[in-house]
Amino acid sequence: INAEYMGHFLSVYFFSTVPATAPTPRPMPITPADQWVAGLGPLTKISAATAVGMVIAMQAGWVPPFALLLDFEALILQYEIWRVVTNLLFFGPLSISWVINFGVFVSYMQRLETDDFGGRRADFLVLLAWCLGWLTAAAYALTIVALSSSFLTCIVWIHCRRNDRATVTVFSIAMKAAYFPWALTLLHFLTGGNLVYDFVGIFVGHTYVFLTDILPLSHGVTLLWTPQFMYKLFPPSRYAAQPQF
């Protein structure tokens, strides 16, 4: 906002003096960040906004970190159901590691939503429900309180398996998409992460790919599908992306 328009705003709302000719406000310029946000799918936007809001709330001291983690006792006895979702987006305190993980998460969440599942929101919601359910079950069995690494590796695995011939560039190093989940797992390990979390994500992601892509093609058997009521709630677009086998 330019100085002339701000002066007019202050004069009207604080001093009640309106100049004879009010200046015409100039349109705000569109920045690359605005274009990037506008290009995100709705579910990716919600996830990204939640992750950013969580780290801001933690850094400001408004919310303690343990209130965002997966605690089954608090979940069941105190009905703190938000923990099921917030622990998936808990990338720790603001740091270089948080920025890298957040960037990879938004990038691959967006690719899944707009490329692999473009126009097929019902199918994408089933994917997210599958990940949420099985990752939460694994967290209960293995006593995991934050599934962000598992969830991140899971969605990366699904996209890369469906686009295994594509080339991705990581820190100026080009590699086939099929190898990127392993590179991400190695990065998590080198930065102090637990390999078990990544392996859980890979297992859940590969199980989804096997049931929806590999098994129907190889044996003509479909064991995981989207219920019809989901298609009624979220009808597919005319130009919906076709499943990749």
Side-chain angles (χ1 to χ4, degrees):
I1 302 175
N2 56 47
E4 181 183 13
Y5 183 61
M6 179 59 71
H8 173 60
F9 176 84
L10 294 175
S11 66
V12 171
Y13 287 93
F14 291 93
F15 303 105
S16 299
T17 58
V18 182
T21 56
T24 302
R26 299 176 183 175
M28 293 293 292
I30 299 177
T31 65
D34 295 330
Q35 295 176 343
W36 178 74
V37 172
L40 296 178
L43 294 175
T44 304
K45 283 182 182 178
I46 293 172
S47 301
T50 302
V52 171
M54 285 167 48
V55 75
I56 291 175
M58 285 191 301
Q59 293 298 123
W62 300 333
V63 177
F66 64 81
L68 305 172
L69 301 177
L70 193 55
D71 183 337
F72 285 96
E73 183 176 348
L75 174 65
I76 297 172
L77 299 181
Q78 302 176 25
Y79 308 106
E80 297 180 358
I81 59 176
W82 65 82
R83 293 177 180 269
V84 176
V85 175
T86 55
N87 87 95
L88 296 175
L89 304 173
F90 183 87
F91 297 112
L94 187 60
S95 62
I96 296 298
S97 177
W98 186 94
V99 172
I100 293 174
N101 284 314
F102 176 76
V104 173
F105 169 75
V106 173
S107 176
Y108 279 84
M109 185 80 169
Q110 168 70 2
R111 295 180 190 186
L112 276 177
E113 183 173 8
T114 60
D115 296 342
D116 299 316
F117 292 88
R120 297 189 294 127
R121 187 167 300 168
D123 295 331
F124 188 52
L125 287 171
V126 168
L127 162 64
L128 295 180
W130 171 270
C131 296
L132 176 65
W134 284 107
L135 289 176
T136 302
Y140 181 79
L142 300 174
T143 318
I144 301 174
V145 297
L147 288 164
S148 53
S149 293
S150 302
F151 186 44
L152 174 58
T153 309
C154 182
I155 63 174
V156 168
W157 181 270
I158 293 172
H159 175 78
C160 289
R161 289 293 297 179
R162 289 180 157 218
N163 303 271
D164 55 353
R165 297 181 181 180
T167 301
V168 298
T169 303
V170 183
F171 300 124
S172 300
I173 301 175
M175 68 180 72
K176 292 294 184 182
Y179 302 128
F180 179 63
W182 300 111
L184 182 63
T185 299
L186 178 62
L187 177 63
H188 286 163
F189 175 71
L190 294 177
T191 54
N194 190 330
L195 288 177
V196 173
Y197 300 169
D198 291 89
F199 289 152
V200 167
I202 290 173
F203 176 78
V204 172
H206 189 71
T207 304
Y208 177 86
V209 172
F210 178 77
L211 293 177
T212 59
D213 295 352
I214 300 175
L215 194 60
L217 184 63
S218 61
H219 293 81
V221 178
T222 302
L223 298 179
L224 179 62
W225 62 90
T226 302
Q228 286 300 317
F229 77 89
M230 291 290 292
Y231 288 126
K232 293 180 180 179
L233 292 174
F234 306 99
S237 168
R238 178 181 177 184
Y239 304 101
Q242 297 300 313
Q244 300 293 320
F245 297 117

mmCIF file of all heavy atoms in Angstrom, residues 28-71:
data_model
loop_
_atom_site.group_PDB
_atom_site.id
_atom_site.type_symbol
_atom_site.label_atom_id
_atom_site.label_comp_id
_atom_site.label_asym_id
_atom_site.label_seq_id
_atom_site.Cartn_x
_atom_site.Cartn_y
_atom_site.Cartn_z
ATOM 1 N N MET A 28 -2.966 -4.213 -5.504
ATOM 2 C CA MET A 28 -1.793 -4.845 -4.923
ATOM 3 C C MET A 28 -1.120 -5.727 -5.975
ATOM 4 O O MET A 28 -1.784 -6.468 -6.690
ATOM 5 C CB MET A 28 -2.201 -5.698 -3.714
ATOM 6 C CG MET A 28 -2.715 -4.884 -2.543
ATOM 7 S SD MET A 28 -1.404 -3.881 -1.806
ATOM 8 C CE MET A 28 -0.384 -5.156 -1.101
ATOM 9 N N PRO A 29 0.188 -5.653 -6.078
ATOM 10 C CA PRO A 29 0.871 -6.504 -7.056
ATOM 11 C C PRO A 29 0.798 -7.968 -6.650
ATOM 12 O O PRO A 29 0.797 -8.306 -5.465
ATOM 13 C CB PRO A 29 2.321 -5.990 -7.010
ATOM 14 C CG PRO A 29 2.465 -5.398 -5.647
ATOM 15 C CD PRO A 29 1.120 -4.804 -5.318
ATOM 16 N N ILE A 30 0.734 -8.838 -7.644
ATOM 17 C CA ILE A 30 0.703 -10.273 -7.391
ATOM 18 C C ILE A 30 2.138 -10.784 -7.322
ATOM 19 O O ILE A 30 2.907 -10.635 -8.265
ATOM 20 C CB ILE A 30 -0.066 -11.009 -8.498
ATOM 21 C CG1 ILE A 30 -1.518 -10.514 -8.543
ATOM 22 C CG2 ILE A 30 -0.023 -12.516 -8.283
ATOM 23 C CD1 ILE A 30 -2.336 -11.129 -9.658
ATOM 24 N N THR A 31 2.497 -11.357 -6.209
ATOM 25 C CA THR A 31 3.854 -11.842 -6.001
ATOM 26 C C THR A 31 3.929 -13.328 -6.329
ATOM 27 O O THR A 31 2.906 -14.016 -6.404
ATOM 28 C CB THR A 31 4.280 -11.623 -4.540
ATOM 29 O OG1 THR A 31 3.453 -12.446 -3.689
ATOM 30 C CG2 THR A 31 4.115 -10.168 -4.131
ATOM 31 N N PRO A 32 5.138 -13.850 -6.539
ATOM 32 C CA PRO A 32 5.279 -15.306 -6.756
ATOM 33 C C PRO A 32 4.694 -16.125 -5.621
ATOM 34 O O PRO A 32 4.166 -17.210 -5.857
ATOM 35 C CB PRO A 32 6.802 -15.480 -6.870
ATOM 36 C CG PRO A 32 7.297 -14.157 -7.372
ATOM 37 C CD PRO A 32 6.398 -13.137 -6.725
ATOM 38 N N ALA A 33 4.802 -15.603 -4.380
ATOM 39 C CA ALA A 33 4.230 -16.332 -3.242
ATOM 40 C C ALA A 33 2.711 -16.426 -3.368
ATOM 41 O O ALA A 33 2.115 -17.477 -3.073
ATOM 42 C CB ALA A 33 4.612 -15.644 -1.933
ATOM 43 N N ASP A 34 2.069 -15.333 -3.813
ATOM 44 C CA ASP A 34 0.619 -15.356 -4.014
ATOM 45 C C ASP A 34 0.239 -16.386 -5.079
ATOM 46 O O ASP A 34 -0.737 -17.127 -4.918
ATOM 47 C CB ASP A 34 0.120 -13.976 -4.440
ATOM 48 C CG ASP A 34 0.317 -12.932 -3.354
ATOM 49 O OD1 ASP A 34 0.287 -13.310 -2.173
ATOM 50 O OD2 ASP A 34 0.511 -11.754 -3.692
ATOM 51 N N GLN A 35 0.983 -16.424 -6.149
ATOM 52 C CA GLN A 35 0.710 -17.378 -7.217
ATOM 53 C C GLN A 35 0.909 -18.808 -6.726
ATOM 54 O O GLN A 35 0.143 -19.705 -7.083
ATOM 55 C CB GLN A 35 1.612 -17.090 -8.418
ATOM 56 C CG GLN A 35 1.349 -15.755 -9.089
ATOM 57 C CD GLN A 35 2.319 -15.476 -10.217
ATOM 58 O OE1 GLN A 35 3.366 -16.099 -10.317
ATOM 59 N NE2 GLN A 35 1.972 -14.524 -11.073
ATOM 60 N N TRP A 36 1.941 -19.014 -5.912
ATOM 61 C CA TRP A 36 2.211 -20.359 -5.384
ATOM 62 C C TRP A 36 1.074 -20.834 -4.499
ATOM 63 O O TRP A 36 0.594 -21.957 -4.634
ATOM 64 C CB TRP A 36 3.518 -20.349 -4.615
ATOM 65 C CG TRP A 36 3.873 -21.665 -3.981
ATOM 66 C CD1 TRP A 36 4.329 -22.776 -4.622
ATOM 67 C CD2 TRP A 36 3.774 -21.991 -2.594
ATOM 68 N NE1 TRP A 36 4.529 -23.796 -3.706
ATOM 69 C CE2 TRP A 36 4.201 -23.340 -2.461
ATOM 70 C CE3 TRP A 36 3.385 -21.284 -1.462
ATOM 71 C CZ2 TRP A 36 4.239 -23.987 -1.235
ATOM 72 C CZ3 TRP A 36 3.418 -21.926 -0.232
ATOM 73 C CH2 TRP A 36 3.842 -23.264 -0.126
ATOM 74 N N VAL A 37 0.627 -19.962 -3.591
ATOM 75 C CA VAL A 37 -0.465 -20.335 -2.691
ATOM 76 C C VAL A 37 -1.749 -20.572 -3.477
ATOM 77 O O VAL A 37 -2.489 -21.526 -3.214
ATOM 78 C CB VAL A 37 -0.680 -19.243 -1.621
ATOM 79 C CG1 VAL A 37 -1.942 -19.527 -0.807
ATOM 80 C CG2 VAL A 37 0.530 -19.152 -0.704
ATOM 81 N N ALA A 38 -2.025 -19.706 -4.466
ATOM 82 C CA ALA A 38 -3.244 -19.846 -5.256
ATOM 83 C C ALA A 38 -3.253 -21.148 -6.046
ATOM 84 O O ALA A 38 -4.316 -21.708 -6.327
ATOM 85 C CB ALA A 38 -3.395 -18.656 -6.205
ATOM 86 N N GLY A 39 -2.075 -21.654 -6.392
ATOM 87 C CA GLY A 39 -1.996 -22.878 -7.178
ATOM 88 C C GLY A 39 -2.127 -24.144 -6.367
ATOM 89 O O GLY A 39 -2.229 -25.233 -6.942
ATOM 90 N N LEU A 40 -2.122 -24.042 -5.048
ATOM 91 C CA LEU A 40 -2.233 -25.233 -4.204
ATOM 92 C C LEU A 40 -3.666 -25.750 -4.194
ATOM 93 O O LEU A 40 -4.628 -24.993 -4.255
ATOM 94 C CB LEU A 40 -1.800 -24.912 -2.767
ATOM 95 C CG LEU A 40 -0.345 -24.498 -2.554
ATOM 96 C CD1 LEU A 40 -0.108 -24.170 -1.094
ATOM 97 C CD2 LEU A 40 0.619 -25.586 -3.022
ATOM 98 N N GLY A 41 -3.794 -27.061 -4.089
ATOM 99 C CA GLY A 41 -5.109 -27.661 -3.939
ATOM 100 C C GLY A 41 -5.689 -27.344 -2.575
ATOM 101 O O GLY A 41 -4.942 -27.033 -1.634
ATOM 102 N N PRO A 42 -7.007 -27.429 -2.400
ATOM 103 C CA PRO A 42 -7.623 -27.052 -1.124
ATOM 104 C C PRO A 42 -7.139 -27.878 0.064
ATOM 105 O O PRO A 42 -6.897 -27.332 1.149
ATOM 106 C CB PRO A 42 -9.125 -27.257 -1.378
ATOM 107 C CG PRO A 42 -9.211 -28.117 -2.590
ATOM 108 C CD PRO A 42 -8.004 -27.820 -3.405
ATOM 109 N N LEU A 43 -6.981 -29.180 -0.101
ATOM 110 C CA LEU A 43 -6.520 -30.012 1.007
ATOM 111 C C LEU A 43 -5.054 -29.740 1.326
ATOM 112 O O LEU A 43 -4.642 -29.784 2.491
ATOM 113 C CB LEU A 43 -6.732 -31.489 0.676
ATOM 114 C CG LEU A 43 -8.198 -31.922 0.549
ATOM 115 C CD1 LEU A 43 -8.303 -33.375 0.110
ATOM 116 C CD2 LEU A 43 -8.929 -31.720 1.872
ATOM 117 N N THR A 44 -4.270 -29.439 0.304
ATOM 118 C CA THR A 44 -2.870 -29.072 0.534
ATOM 119 C C THR A 44 -2.789 -27.738 1.270
ATOM 120 O O THR A 44 -1.963 -27.569 2.179
ATOM 121 C CB THR A 44 -2.111 -28.982 -0.800
ATOM 122 O OG1 THR A 44 -2.228 -30.223 -1.494
ATOM 123 C CG2 THR A 44 -0.647 -28.673 -0.572
ATOM 124 N N LYS A 45 -3.642 -26.793 0.901
ATOM 125 C CA LYS A 45 -3.661 -25.499 1.596
ATOM 126 C C LYS A 45 -4.005 -25.672 3.067
ATOM 127 O O LYS A 45 -3.364 -25.078 3.949
ATOM 128 C CB LYS A 45 -4.691 -24.571 0.942
ATOM 129 C CG LYS A 45 -4.267 -23.944 -0.370
ATOM 130 C CD LYS A 45 -5.358 -23.024 -0.884
ATOM 131 C CE LYS A 45 -4.983 -22.426 -2.229
ATOM 132 N NZ LYS A 45 -6.052 -21.567 -2.779
ATOM 133 N N ILE A 46 -5.021 -26.477 3.342
ATOM 134 C CA ILE A 46 -5.441 -26.691 4.724
ATOM 135 C C ILE A 46 -4.318 -27.338 5.525
ATOM 136 O O ILE A 46 -4.017 -26.929 6.652
ATOM 137 C CB ILE A 46 -6.713 -27.557 4.765
ATOM 138 C CG1 ILE A 46 -7.893 -26.805 4.163
ATOM 139 C CG2 ILE A 46 -7.039 -27.976 6.203
ATOM 140 C CD1 ILE A 46 -9.135 -27.642 3.991
ATOM 141 N N SER A 47 -3.680 -28.341 4.944
ATOM 142 C CA SER A 47 -2.585 -29.025 5.631
ATOM 143 C C SER A 47 -1.413 -28.081 5.883
ATOM 144 O O SER A 47 -0.843 -28.054 6.981
ATOM 145 C CB SER A 47 -2.125 -30.229 4.804
ATOM 146 O OG SER A 47 -3.177 -31.135 4.591
ATOM 147 N N ALA A 48 -1.051 -27.303 4.857
ATOM 148 C CA ALA A 48 0.077 -26.376 4.993
ATOM 149 C C ALA A 48 -0.228 -25.300 6.033
ATOM 150 O O ALA A 48 0.622 -24.966 6.866
ATOM 151 C CB ALA A 48 0.394 -25.740 3.649
ATOM 152 N N ALA A 49 -1.445 -24.753 5.988
ATOM 153 C CA ALA A 49 -1.824 -23.715 6.956
ATOM 154 C C ALA A 49 -1.820 -24.263 8.376
ATOM 155 O O ALA A 49 -1.409 -23.574 9.322
ATOM 156 C CB ALA A 49 -3.199 -23.151 6.601
ATOM 157 N N THR A 50 -2.257 -25.503 8.534
ATOM 158 C CA THR A 50 -2.263 -26.123 9.862
ATOM 159 C C THR A 50 -0.844 -26.301 10.382
ATOM 160 O O THR A 50 -0.552 -25.999 11.547
ATOM 161 C CB THR A 50 -2.975 -27.482 9.813
ATOM 162 O OG1 THR A 50 -4.313 -27.305 9.343
ATOM 163 C CG2 THR A 50 -3.011 -28.121 11.192
ATOM 164 N N ALA A 51 0.052 -26.797 9.524
ATOM 165 C CA ALA A 51 1.443 -26.998 9.936
ATOM 166 C C ALA A 51 2.110 -25.674 10.308
ATOM 167 O O ALA A 51 2.822 -25.582 11.320
ATOM 168 C CB ALA A 51 2.225 -27.691 8.823
ATOM 169 N N VAL A 52 1.881 -24.630 9.507
ATOM 170 C CA VAL A 52 2.458 -23.317 9.802
ATOM 171 C C VAL A 52 1.863 -22.744 11.084
ATOM 172 O O VAL A 52 2.584 -22.206 11.936
ATOM 173 C CB VAL A 52 2.231 -22.356 8.618
ATOM 174 C CG1 VAL A 52 2.635 -20.927 8.994
ATOM 175 C CG2 VAL A 52 3.022 -22.812 7.400
ATOM 176 N N GLY A 53 0.545 -22.853 11.230
ATOM 177 C CA GLY A 53 -0.091 -22.353 12.446
ATOM 178 C C GLY A 53 0.418 -23.052 13.689
ATOM 179 O O GLY A 53 0.604 -22.420 14.745
ATOM 180 N N MET A 54 0.659 -24.352 13.590
ATOM 181 C CA MET A 54 1.168 -25.106 14.738
ATOM 182 C C MET A 54 2.557 -24.641 15.155
ATOM 183 O O MET A 54 2.829 -24.431 16.341
ATOM 184 C CB MET A 54 1.186 -26.598 14.395
ATOM 185 C CG MET A 54 -0.177 -27.261 14.403
ATOM 186 S SD MET A 54 -0.160 -28.915 13.643
ATOM 187 C CE MET A 54 1.254 -29.679 14.431
ATOM 188 N N VAL A 55 3.456 -24.463 14.170
ATOM 189 C CA VAL A 55 4.814 -24.076 14.535
ATOM 190 C C VAL A 55 4.843 -22.641 15.069
ATOM 191 O O VAL A 55 5.624 -22.325 15.982
ATOM 192 C CB VAL A 55 5.771 -24.259 13.335
ATOM 193 C CG1 VAL A 55 5.590 -23.168 12.300
ATOM 194 C CG2 VAL A 55 7.216 -24.312 13.799
ATOM 195 N N ILE A 56 3.990 -21.769 14.547
ATOM 196 C CA ILE A 56 3.915 -20.409 15.076
ATOM 197 C C ILE A 56 3.398 -20.424 16.512
ATOM 198 O O ILE A 56 3.934 -19.732 17.395
ATOM 199 C CB ILE A 56 3.006 -19.532 14.192
ATOM 200 C CG1 ILE A 56 3.666 -19.286 12.831
ATOM 201 C CG2 ILE A 56 2.691 -18.200 14.873
ATOM 202 C CD1 ILE A 56 2.790 -18.530 11.851
ATOM 203 N N ALA A 57 2.362 -21.222 16.750
ATOM 204 C CA ALA A 57 1.799 -21.311 18.101
ATOM 205 C C ALA A 57 2.818 -21.870 19.091
ATOM 206 O O ALA A 57 2.892 -21.421 20.246
ATOM 207 C CB ALA A 57 0.540 -22.177 18.079
ATOM 208 N N MET A 58 3.628 -22.834 18.642
ATOM 209 C CA MET A 58 4.657 -23.397 19.524
ATOM 210 C C MET A 58 5.758 -22.391 19.796
ATOM 211 O O MET A 58 6.204 -22.220 20.935
ATOM 212 C CB MET A 58 5.237 -24.663 18.904
ATOM 213 C CG MET A 58 4.342 -25.880 18.980
ATOM 214 S SD MET A 58 5.213 -27.397 18.515
ATOM 215 C CE MET A 58 5.728 -27.010 16.831
ATOM 216 N N GLN A 59 6.217 -21.709 18.749
ATOM 217 C CA GLN A 59 7.302 -20.743 18.919
ATOM 218 C C GLN A 59 6.880 -19.580 19.807
ATOM 219 O O GLN A 59 7.679 -19.040 20.567
ATOM 220 C CB GLN A 59 7.751 -20.212 17.558
ATOM 221 C CG GLN A 59 8.414 -21.249 16.658
ATOM 222 C CD GLN A 59 9.694 -21.810 17.243
ATOM 223 O OE1 GLN A 59 9.817 -23.013 17.419
ATOM 224 N NE2 GLN A 59 10.652 -20.960 17.560
ATOM 225 N N ALA A 60 5.595 -19.197 19.710
ATOM 226 C CA ALA A 60 5.089 -18.092 20.528
ATOM 227 C C ALA A 60 4.743 -18.523 21.942
ATOM 228 O O ALA A 60 4.452 -17.679 22.798
ATOM 229 C CB ALA A 60 3.852 -17.485 19.851
ATOM 230 N N GLY A 61 4.768 -19.815 22.206
ATOM 231 C CA GLY A 61 4.446 -20.318 23.530
ATOM 232 C C GLY A 61 2.961 -20.405 23.816
ATOM 233 O O GLY A 61 2.554 -20.559 24.967
ATOM 234 N N TRP A 62 2.137 -20.327 22.774
ATOM 235 C CA TRP A 62 0.691 -20.402 22.969
ATOM 236 C C TRP A 62 0.214 -21.831 23.183
ATOM 237 O O TRP A 62 -0.782 -22.064 23.874
ATOM 238 C CB TRP A 62 -0.038 -19.800 21.758
ATOM 239 C CG TRP A 62 0.291 -18.372 21.495
ATOM 240 C CD1 TRP A 62 0.705 -17.452 22.415
ATOM 241 C CD2 TRP A 62 0.259 -17.688 20.238
ATOM 242 N NE1 TRP A 62 0.925 -16.233 21.820
ATOM 243 C CE2 TRP A 62 0.662 -16.346 20.471
ATOM 244 C CE3 TRP A 62 -0.064 -18.071 18.944
ATOM 245 C CZ2 TRP A 62 0.738 -15.407 19.463
ATOM 246 C CZ3 TRP A 62 0.009 -17.137 17.921
ATOM 247 C CH2 TRP A 62 0.404 -15.822 18.182
ATOM 248 N N VAL A 63 0.906 -22.762 22.558
ATOM 249 C CA VAL A 63 0.515 -24.168 22.653
ATOM 250 C C VAL A 63 1.752 -24.991 22.983
ATOM 251 O O VAL A 63 2.769 -24.884 22.289
ATOM 252 C CB VAL A 63 -0.093 -24.673 21.318
ATOM 253 C CG1 VAL A 63 -0.429 -26.158 21.408
ATOM 254 C CG2 VAL A 63 -1.336 -23.871 20.966
ATOM 255 N N PRO A 64 1.702 -25.829 24.024
ATOM 256 C CA PRO A 64 2.848 -26.693 24.314
ATOM 257 C C PRO A 64 2.936 -27.818 23.284
ATOM 258 O O PRO A 64 1.912 -28.317 22.813
ATOM 259 C CB PRO A 64 2.531 -27.242 25.708
ATOM 260 C CG PRO A 64 1.041 -27.160 25.820
ATOM 261 C CD PRO A 64 0.628 -25.956 25.018
ATOM 262 N N PRO A 65 4.142 -28.221 22.907
ATOM 263 C CA PRO A 65 4.285 -29.262 21.872
ATOM 264 C C PRO A 65 3.551 -30.552 22.197
ATOM 265 O O PRO A 65 2.981 -31.191 21.307
ATOM 266 C CB PRO A 65 5.800 -29.475 21.811
ATOM 267 C CG PRO A 65 6.385 -28.191 22.290
ATOM 268 C CD PRO A 65 5.442 -27.692 23.332
ATOM 269 N N PHE A 66 3.557 -30.958 23.486
ATOM 270 C CA PHE A 66 2.937 -32.249 23.824
ATOM 271 C C PHE A 66 1.430 -32.248 23.589
ATOM 272 O O PHE A 66 0.811 -33.311 23.494
ATOM 273 C CB PHE A 66 3.245 -32.617 25.286
ATOM 274 C CG PHE A 66 2.670 -31.683 26.305
ATOM 275 C CD1 PHE A 66 1.341 -31.784 26.708
ATOM 276 C CD2 PHE A 66 3.463 -30.708 26.896
ATOM 277 C CE1 PHE A 66 0.818 -30.929 27.662
ATOM 278 C CE2 PHE A 66 2.939 -29.844 27.842
ATOM 279 C CZ PHE A 66 1.622 -29.955 28.224
ATOM 280 N N ALA A 67 0.817 -31.060 23.468
ATOM 281 C CA ALA A 67 -0.622 -30.997 23.205
ATOM 282 C C ALA A 67 -0.951 -31.338 21.759
ATOM 283 O O ALA A 67 -2.118 -31.530 21.415
ATOM 284 C CB ALA A 67 -1.158 -29.606 23.539
ATOM 285 N N LEU A 68 0.082 -31.413 20.906
ATOM 286 C CA LEU A 68 -0.121 -31.695 19.484
ATOM 287 C C LEU A 68 0.267 -33.115 19.106
ATOM 288 O O LEU A 68 0.018 -33.546 17.985
ATOM 289 C CB LEU A 68 0.684 -30.706 18.635
ATOM 290 C CG LEU A 68 0.421 -29.223 18.901
ATOM 291 C CD1 LEU A 68 1.426 -28.366 18.137
ATOM 292 C CD2 LEU A 68 -0.998 -28.855 18.517
ATOM 293 N N LEU A 69 0.897 -33.826 20.041
ATOM 294 C CA LEU A 69 1.386 -35.169 19.764
ATOM 295 C C LEU A 69 0.307 -36.211 20.012
ATOM 296 O O LEU A 69 -0.746 -35.920 20.585
ATOM 297 C CB LEU A 69 2.622 -35.453 20.621
ATOM 298 C CG LEU A 69 3.804 -34.498 20.414
ATOM 299 C CD1 LEU A 69 4.940 -34.831 21.367
ATOM 300 C CD2 LEU A 69 4.289 -34.541 18.975
ATOM 301 N N LEU A 70 0.595 -37.424 19.584
ATOM 302 C CA LEU A 70 -0.386 -38.506 19.687
ATOM 303 C C LEU A 70 -0.306 -39.137 21.068
ATOM 304 O O LEU A 70 0.674 -39.793 21.423
ATOM 305 C CB LEU A 70 -0.127 -39.561 18.597
ATOM 306 C CG LEU A 70 -1.214 -40.584 18.354
ATOM 307 C CD1 LEU A 70 -2.553 -39.909 18.045
ATOM 308 C CD2 LEU A 70 -0.824 -41.506 17.205
ATOM 309 N N ASP A 71 -1.346 -38.936 21.843
ATOM 310 C CA ASP A 71 -1.468 -39.507 23.187
ATOM 311 C C ASP A 71 -2.811 -40.226 23.235
ATOM 312 O O ASP A 71 -3.861 -39.594 23.281
ATOM 313 C CB ASP A 71 -1.404 -38.390 24.237
ATOM 314 C CG ASP A 71 -1.463 -38.917 25.659
ATOM 315 O OD1 ASP A 71 -1.969 -40.039 25.863
ATOM 316 O OD2 ASP A 71 -1.018 -38.199 26.576
#
